[in-house]
Amino acid sequence: TDRMAGLTAAIQRANLVPPPDICPIIQHPAAHPSTPGVHSSSPLHRFTAPSRAHSGLSASRLGYAKEKMSENGPWGKVLTIDTMNPTVKKVEYAVRGPIVQRAVQIEKELREGVKKPFAEVIKANIGDAHAMGQQPITFFRQVLAMCSYPELLNDSSFPEDAKHRARRILQSCGGSSLGAYSASQGIDCVLQDVARYIERRDGGIPCNPENVYLTTGASDGIMTMLKLLVCGEDEGRTGVMISIPQYPLYSAALAELGAVQINYYLNEDKCWSMDLSELKRSLKEARRHCNPRALCIINPGNPTGQVQSRDCIEDVIRFAAKERLLLMADEVYQDNVYAEGCEFHSFKKVLFEMGPEYSDSVELVSFHSTSKCYMGECGFRGGYMEIINMDPEVKAQLNKLVSVRLCPPVPGQALMGLVVNPPQPGEPSYINFIKERSATLSALAEKARLTEEILNTVPGISCNPVQGAMYSFPSISLSKAAIEEAANDQAPDMFYCMRLLEETGICLVPGSGFGQKDGTYHFRMTILPPMDKLKVLLTKVKEFHQRFTNQYS
């Protein structure tokens, strides 16, 4: 007994769980059959007294224990960096990458009283409108509040049109509760509302609700479609064409799925427009080593802020039809158009206006979200996708795939329904809704203009007009000395942005995180900060660039 007690204590000190063939000889004192008050049926009474064969611990078992103590944990990890899914290790997501992690550390240091040459970190790395101080649309939050807490439907301070929307949504939910699962494709009344919205937006072109899928933000829909697309091995692996610069969701998703990323470059000299000759070049080269099957377009652009012309969209559709490519149209910024002479054209509208030659054959999936535009409701994770000309058998597989996740977040579905079915003329909330929406979009337009104007006053920085979306993607000139300083450690524009963060508290994302032509350098910054902070941000960037240039001249 004394020997066993000593062994137990040694194992506990080593934080070592014994192997199964040792377990029976370890005996908690309270579990001994002779211990008063402990019966054989007790869960503690599961070890037997040691036999003569187990009266000591052999040298081989002592060696086993030492070996296990030296590993990563008592028994060693099943999941290690060497045994994990190798495609996950290839995933990168710049907008929440190392520079953002360092920004979070600096915020913590500031709270702890560490002295810095600035009082706060201004995060301009991500399009998170409400985190930047944008106020939610009152009508949306009123309806969501009543949907979440139906007792508020009896509150006279809520307008009747908001109550009507809340009742309609709740009646479509199981048990009249947002807490119930919905159908996998989405709440029926919201699917109907999305279809009617698309018809209004596109001038009456029909939309079948059965072709609409509610999603967990647009990202969920994009990932789902890529899952359907990706197949093959070696030279038969699926290739997907994505714009460079690109939103890192695409490169991350393709890496995770083991697909081939096919880069096509936007034309910076022509305000980041798409170039048909570049699409042809990219596709021709890709066909030597993979099977290109899809073309992704972001319009308005992220991170580049351009709005593609109708002529450009027609060229892309003809190209996709000729080359038998599925089109994925990321249109989450469709309300964010600021520049004079620019207009948003949905790919679906252009496709159908080009006639049956294209509208009956080109496979198109378009995406929208509650996270951008004038709403900025990122946290609700609401979105939808519409499929056009999908093979019925593939659609059945899509239905199966979305059923695995059960359903998107129901509050996000409800919000998507409000975005596409806002207050109408004559309803009590209409005037305030229009006022709030217009104020938000007008402020964004002014900030887009200011960003371009100030950045273009800085020698060594060149910024295209921010025609739409929520970002600018200016190019920066870096000297040979600055590039060499960064060479051993990080990409030159990462070095630049990290220095900017440490010296000014401004958090931007280097262009290398989005892709760029060799020999060029950029950063992406959102235009979302409040006007007073945006002016501070732009002034600090201007002053920093001048200091940085002088230091490495």
Side-chain angles (χ1 to χ4, degrees):
T1 303
D2 291 340
R3 192 179 294 118
M4 291 302 100
L7 174 60
T8 301
I11 291 174
Q12 289 173 342
R13 285 196 299 273
N15 193 26
L16 182 67
V17 179
D21 63 334
I22 296 179
C23 285
I25 70 171
I26 300 173
Q27 183 176 322
H28 192 287
H32 196 282
S34 63
T35 304
V38 178
H39 304 287
S40 61
S41 61
S42 167
L44 293 175
H45 186 208
R46 61 182 183 273
F47 301 126
T48 60
S51 67
R52 182 177 298 275
H54 292 121
S55 60
L57 189 61
S58 68
S60 63
R61 290 186 179 181
L62 281 171
Y64 174 89
K66 289 178 180 178
E67 177 186 344
K68 288 302 170 186
M69 288 170 62
S70 67
E71 291 183 9
N72 184 15
W75 303 106
K77 300 292 186 184
V78 171
L79 186 62
T80 70
I81 195 68
D82 295 320
T83 62
M84 68 177 287
N85 184 342
T87 62
V88 174
K89 289 187 282 187
K90 298 177 182 178
V91 172
E92 296 182 1
Y93 191 64
V95 294
R96 295 200 176 192
I99 198 160
V100 182
Q101 295 165 15
R102 176 57 186 148
V104 171
Q105 291 176 344
I106 291 175
E107 286 182 317
K108 182 180 179 182
E109 292 170 8
L110 286 170
R111 290 193 298 269
E112 293 172 349
V114 177
K115 297 298 182 183
K116 302 282 183 183
F118 47 86
E120 66 172 336
V121 173
I122 300 179
K123 292 180 182 176
N125 60 292
I126 195 167
D128 191 350
H130 291 192
M132 293 288 181
Q134 180 176 309
Q135 294 303 300
I137 299 295
T138 300
F139 179 81
F140 295 166
R141 290 300 184 89
Q142 287 175 331
V143 177
L144 290 171
M146 288 184 282
C147 286
S148 298
Y149 188 58
E151 289 294 320
L152 293 176
L153 287 163
N154 300 318
D155 191 325
S156 60
S157 63
F158 287 86
E160 284 303 316
D161 54 343
K163 290 182 178 181
H164 170 73
R165 297 292 200 290
R167 291 190 186 100
R168 181 169 177 267
I169 292 169
L170 289 173
Q171 287 167 4
S172 293
C173 295
S176 296
S177 172
L178 289 188
Y181 289 128
S182 74
S184 296
Q185 197 164 337
I187 299 170
D188 183 66
C189 74
V190 176
L191 294 171
Q192 297 284 340
D193 287 346
V194 170
R196 302 294 81 79
Y197 162 80
I198 293 172
E199 290 179 352
R200 292 193 305 272
R201 182 198 67 187
D202 294 342
I205 295 169
C207 176
N208 186 344
E210 293 183 3
N211 291 334
V212 176
Y213 291 77
L214 301 183
T215 58
T216 307
S219 301
D220 172 45
I222 292 165
M223 193 72 181
T224 298
M225 285 308 305
L226 291 175
K227 286 178 182 177
L228 286 176
L229 274 163
V230 173
C231 64
E233 297 179 358
D234 301 324
E235 292 183 357
R237 276 199 304 163
T238 294
V240 178
M241 301 180 69
I242 64 172
S243 61
I244 299 296
Q246 54 103 23
Y247 177 49
L249 163 68
Y250 292 92
S251 57
L254 295 175
E256 181 180 345
L257 295 171
V260 178
Q261 175 180 320
I262 304 171
N263 297 337
Y264 67 88
Y265 290 91
L266 300 176
N267 190 333
E268 184 170 10
D269 293 335
K270 295 183 179 179
C271 204
W272 300 111
S273 63
M274 293 182 70
D275 188 326
L276 190 59
S277 63
E278 169 61 12
L279 289 177
K280 292 177 180 178
R281 178 208 62 79
S282 174
L283 182 66
K284 182 179 179 181
E285 290 185 6
R287 282 187 167 147
R288 297 171 183 168
H289 59 86
C290 70
N291 178 22
R293 304 184 69 204
L295 169 60
C296 299
I297 307 97
I298 308 173
N299 181 48
N302 175 12
T304 43
Q306 86 285 2
V307 179
Q308 301 294 1
S309 68
R310 182 191 172 91
D311 287 346
C312 173
I313 294 172
E314 288 184 3
D315 287 341
V316 170
I317 291 172
R318 292 189 189 98
F319 174 77
K322 179 181 179 182
E323 304 295 345
R324 296 189 67 247
L325 297 171
L326 181 146
L327 283 173
M328 296 177 62
D330 183 338
E331 299 175 331
V332 302
Y333 298 98
Q334 57 191 255
D335 289 332
N336 298 104
V337 178
Y338 318 120
E340 187 175 345
C342 290
E343 182 182 355
F344 170 75
H345 301 278
S346 79
F347 265 78
K348 181 186 177 183
K349 182 174 186 288
V350 176
L351 175 67
F352 276 77
E353 290 178 348
M354 289 173 69
E357 177 185 358
Y358 298 98
S359 61
D360 288 349
S361 60
V362 173
E363 296 160 83
L364 169 68
V365 187
S366 59
F367 307 90
H368 195 17
S369 170
T370 64
S371 300
K372 308 304 176 183
C373 297
Y374 62 91
M375 304 85 69
E377 295 279 15
C378 303
F380 278 96
R381 308 309 300 131
Y384 74 74
M385 63 180 180
E386 183 191 12
I387 58 172
I388 304 294
N389 292 323
M390 178 174 281
D391 184 288
E393 291 183 338
V394 176
K395 186 179 178 184
Q397 295 299 313
L398 171 60
N399 291 339
K400 179 183 70 175
L401 189 58
V402 299
S403 71
V404 172
R405 66 171 188 199
L406 295 176
C407 69
V410 176
Q413 295 186 52
L415 178 60
M416 190 78 253
L418 299 172
V419 169
V420 299
N421 185 22
Q424 301 300 307
E427 291 186 324
S429 302
Y430 177 73
I431 293 176
N432 188 59
F433 167 75
I434 293 297
K435 179 180 178 182
E436 290 180 336
R437 183 180 67 178
S438 298
T440 299
L441 292 174
S442 295
L444 287 170
E446 176 61 18
K447 288 187 276 191
R449 183 199 60 77
L450 182 71
T451 298
E452 175 199 350
E453 180 181 289
I454 292 181
L455 289 178
N456 279 327
T457 66
V458 185
I461 296 181
S462 176
C463 182
N464 270 316
V466 182
Q467 297 176 331
M470 297 176 171
Y471 317 97
S472 65
F473 197 70
S475 66
I476 51 177
S477 297
L478 299 180
S479 67
K480 182 179 178 181
I483 294 170
E484 290 175 348
E485 180 76 12
N488 295 328
D489 186 35
Q490 54 200 177
D493 47 12
M494 171 64 87
F495 172 65
Y496 177 96
C497 288
M498 194 64 79
R499 283 282 303 272
L500 174 70
L501 173 63
E502 297 287 354
E503 294 181 23
T504 69
I506 304 298
C507 180
L508 308 179
V509 190
S512 50
F514 300 88
Q516 55 197 349
K517 284 189 174 181
D518 290 344
T520 68
Y521 305 102
H522 301 78
F523 60 76
R524 186 190 82 160
M525 62 164 283
T526 179
I527 62 172
L528 288 172
M531 185 61 80
D532 56 342
K533 282 193 177 182
L534 182 63
K535 290 178 179 178
V536 170
L537 184 158
L538 292 169
T539 299
K540 285 189 173 185
V541 168
K542 179 177 181 178
E543 293 171 349
F544 167 82
H545 187 83
Q546 291 168 338
R547 290 197 308 272
F548 186 89
T549 300
N550 290 336
Q551 180 180 353
Y552 291 102
S553 61

